[in-house]
Amino acid sequence: MTGSRPPKGREMLRCYWRVKIVPFTTPRNGYSLRPPPTNPLPPQAPSLMQIGIRDIFDSDHDMFRESCRKFFEDEVKPFHGEWEKAGEVPRELWLKAGEQGMLSMMVPEEYGGVGLDCRYPAIMWEEQSYAGTTGPGFAMHSDIVAPYITNYGTEEQKQRILPKLVSGEWIGALGMTEPAAGSDFANIKTVAVKDGDDYIINGSKVFITNGWLCDVVIVCAKTDTGKGAHGVSLFIIEDGMKGFVKGNKLNKMGMKAQDTSELFFEDLRVPASAMLGPENKGFYCVMNELPQERLLIADMGVASAEAVFEQTKNYTMERQAFGGSLANLQTVSHKLAEMKTDICVARAFVDQCIAQHADHKLDSATASMAKYWCTDLQSSVADRGVQLHGGWGYMWEYDVCKHFVDARVQSIYGGANEIMKELIGRSITNPRK
């Protein structure tokens, strides 16, 4: 400023960096410069996966993250290759996760859980993605299936099922997608016909995460075929019920250690007490739960992108070519700059969504934005990561290769990204009054 004196010597100026007083120093030119932050945010941190750099988490979250990171590094990653060949993870892993309090953390205490908000599950989503271990279907089990039973189950259903989901004794799945009905909920063909005090269920489901291992599955079925989506009800089906048949594990492009299968219901008779929530209200239950499902997909997408960036950065800095490191080439350094910028922007948005969801304020349109944007970004970053790894990026033993194939389905399940754009568009052109 004209006529003002630049600061002389070492002065203390008030700075709102994490609400702390930060000393400013005066270099030779007389203008004050902020010192490197002692508690950086993701863009300034040495690694996007560094613990303690996210404003939405506190020290308790960070300690939990350390435990989760150790769990995936010690209990999952060394064996993941074997499980990819088997097409499933062992049940013992689920019990280990349950023993460490890592399953169904949002379940209330009276049903065996700890009643936490979504920040703790988010740490699990992210650490699993950082490790590149997509085999365990923990998120489906803990943060999609368990909330349905918590929010819509009878007292008997909650008391009987939720403690087993928390401990890992039971594994949960959601039976929604059908061979001819993916995102089109109204076109579901599985039917549940009332017969006295029972329902008889016939139909099939496909692409069911945890389908092979599941002990309990929430099934969407038409109880009124004349009402389209508004005639769908939810049922709790348990392994071993006569007429419930599990198909073969499906041979997928990626996520090879995650058991995914078809499910068949052949004159499956269940009591009325197996219904979850009110009759013909399944569509409304699903709509209420979709924001969390889409948020976790988005968060896992960004976390995968963060992991790929760090792997690619390290590889290009170590790889020698043309008389120096690969990263010193301008074309490569610009690619890294683009990747990091894209990821940091997405991370800021998703963290905002996580904070909103923890306060029960995340709406469907915003969750849809996060899901489509972040999963598209995940695939884009994985593609660029493979390219910068060269031929090694095409090798299965490199994590970047697995991230690439695992990313592809993220824009498909949980509602295809084309559907996400349709939902966002409706919120713009026809907002609720």
Side-chain angles (χ1 to χ4, degrees):
M1 295 184 297
T2 304
S4 64
R5 177 183 65 82
K8 298 289 185 181
R10 184 177 181 85
E11 298 182 1
M12 294 291 292
L13 300 177
R14 182 170 297 278
C15 169
Y16 293 96
W17 178 265
R18 301 218 171 215
V19 200
K20 293 180 181 178
I21 303 297
V22 177
F24 279 60
T25 57
T26 305
R28 293 178 185 176
N29 62 12
Y31 291 97
S32 61
L33 296 175
R34 186 193 304 271
T38 58
N39 208 1
L41 292 171
Q44 295 97 23
S47 168
L48 296 179
M49 302 188 299
Q50 180 175 317
I51 296 174
I53 60 173
R54 308 260 296 282
D55 274 346
I56 63 170
F57 299 119
D58 60 26
S59 59
D60 289 337
H61 294 116
D62 293 341
M63 286 189 290
F64 179 67
R65 186 181 292 278
E66 290 174 358
S67 298
C68 291
R69 187 164 295 186
K70 179 174 173 51
F71 176 82
F72 284 107
E73 289 296 330
D74 294 349
E75 303 291 346
V76 184
K77 196 171 182 65
F79 315 103
H80 204 261
E82 301 172 21
W83 301 340
E84 288 168 359
K85 296 174 184 175
E88 62 181 276
V89 303
R91 283 185 167 273
E92 290 75 18
L93 181 69
W94 290 83
L95 294 172
K96 287 180 181 179
E99 288 171 2
Q100 297 194 30
M102 295 178 174
L103 298 179
S104 304
M105 289 173 278
M106 292 190 287
V107 168
E109 292 183 35
E110 58 265 35
Y111 305 114
V114 284
L116 300 173
D117 67 30
C118 70
R119 290 180 177 89
Y120 282 90
I123 292 169
M124 277 287 285
W125 309 335
E126 293 164 9
E127 290 304 319
Q128 183 169 0
S129 297
Y130 289 161
T133 53
T134 54
F138 291 154
M140 167 60 71
H141 167 96
S142 297
D143 308 309
I144 297 177
V145 175
Y148 275 96
I149 297 171
T150 300
N151 295 332
Y152 310 110
T154 63
E155 188 63 22
E156 185 277 331
Q157 289 169 340
K158 290 187 281 190
Q159 292 284 358
R160 182 169 57 85
I161 299 172
L162 288 175
K164 295 177 180 179
L165 296 182
V166 172
S167 69
E169 179 184 350
W170 276 14
I171 297 172
L174 177 64
M176 185 182 301
T177 303
E178 297 186 357
S183 299
D184 185 4
F185 206 74
N187 201 34
I188 285 176
K189 302 301 182 186
T190 299
V191 295
V193 178
K194 188 84 159 123
D195 183 47
D197 294 331
D198 299 335
Y199 287 87
I200 299 176
I201 301 176
N202 281 282
S204 66
K205 303 293 178 178
V206 71
F207 311 137
I208 305 305
T209 299
N210 298 339
W212 179 254
L213 290 174
C214 71
D215 300 280
V216 60
V217 55
I218 298 170
V219 174
C220 304
K222 287 275 185 70
T223 43
D224 189 334
T225 56
K227 290 185 177 180
H230 302 288
V232 174
S233 300
L234 306 181
F235 291 88
I236 297 175
I237 307 302
E238 297 176 28
D239 190 26
M241 286 182 168
K242 185 179 179 181
F244 174 32
V245 180
K246 297 178 180 179
N248 294 328
K249 288 176 284 187
L250 300 175
N251 187 17
K252 309 183 299 295
M253 174 194 293
M255 295 191 175
K256 293 184 176 295
Q258 187 178 104
D259 69 292
T260 309
S261 70
E262 294 178 288
L263 303 178
F264 300 95
F265 314 102
E266 302 169 354
D267 292 329
L268 170 62
R269 181 178 290 271
V270 297
S273 60
M275 184 176 286
L276 180 65
E279 187 175 44
N280 296 330
K281 298 297 182 182
F283 176 75
Y284 300 100
C285 298
V286 170
M287 291 301 105
N288 287 337
E289 299 306 314
L290 279 175
Q292 177 159 300
E293 179 177 350
R294 288 166 181 167
L295 173 62
L296 74 85
I297 294 171
D299 192 26
M300 294 180 88
V302 176
S304 173
E306 289 167 334
V308 168
F309 171 76
E310 293 299 330
Q311 293 163 15
T312 305
K313 177 187 71 176
N314 293 337
Y315 176 83
T316 56
M317 291 178 71
E318 294 170 4
R319 177 79 159 86
Q320 296 296 305
F322 307 107
S325 72
L326 205 59
N328 285 336
L329 298 175
Q330 187 180 68
T331 53
V332 174
S333 66
H334 283 192
K335 283 292 183 185
L336 293 172
E338 291 168 357
M339 291 166 72
K340 183 173 182 179
T341 303
D342 290 344
I343 293 166
C344 288
V345 171
R347 171 52 67 199
F349 178 49
V350 170
D351 277 3
Q352 181 185 50
C353 291
I354 293 171
Q356 279 190 318
H357 191 48
D359 292 335
H360 308 287
K361 294 179 180 178
L362 182 66
D363 64 0
S364 177
T366 306
S368 298
M369 293 178 200
K371 195 269 180 184
Y372 114 71
W373 184 265
C374 295
T375 56
D376 278 0
L377 173 67
Q378 177 186 3
S379 291
S380 172
V381 168
D383 181 66
R384 285 177 274 178
V386 168
Q387 185 70 22
L388 291 178
H389 275 77
W392 296 113
Y394 199 65
M395 297 295 106
W396 191 249
E397 63 264 31
Y398 274 69
D399 282 351
V400 69
C401 179
K402 297 181 182 181
H403 278 283
F404 178 80
V405 294
D406 290 347
R408 189 60 191 88
V409 75
Q410 286 270 94
S411 61
I412 297 173
Y413 59 23
N417 282 5
E418 290 77 10
I419 301 298
M420 297 302 97
K421 295 174 186 178
E422 179 67 19
L423 296 174
I424 297 164
R426 289 178 189 174
S427 74
I428 297 169
T429 60
N430 189 25
R432 293 178 180 177
K433 303 299 183 182

